[in-house]
Amino acid sequence: MKRAPVIVHPPCTGGRRVTLYGQDLGRALRPGDVAAYLRRAGFSTAEFAWDDTALIEWRDGGPDVWSTN
């Protein structure tokens, strides 16, 4: 199975780490931060959906999970 190029890592103190093909894009505190990182990397937000598993792998919770509580 092919791995998604974007990985949103589990929530931790300081947000969720976001990587693209293994390269760190930064820490996101909300879905809008993930979208901003992807736009800077050349993606159009019109080209993806949060539940597009071919593009984004959400670890330990989807786009509605941002804290460890």
Side-chain angles (χ1 to χ4, degrees), residues 46-59:
E47 294 175 356
F48 69 88
W50 294 123
D51 61 351
D52 181 354
T53 58
L55 176 65
I56 303 173
E57 178 185 333
W58 295 89
R59 294 188 178 168

Side-chain angles (χ1 to χ4, degrees), residues 13-36:
T13 303
R16 297 179 75 166
R17 190 166 60 100
V18 180
T19 58
L20 174 64
Y21 294 111
Q23 185 173 27
D24 191 36
L25 297 180
R27 293 209 178 256
L29 299 175
R30 61 191 67 80
D33 296 338
V34 177

Side-chain angles (χ1 to χ4, degrees), residues 57-69:
E57 178 185 333
W58 295 89
R59 294 188 178 168
D60 291 344
D64 56 333
V65 178
W66 294 93
S67 70
T68 56
N69 298 336

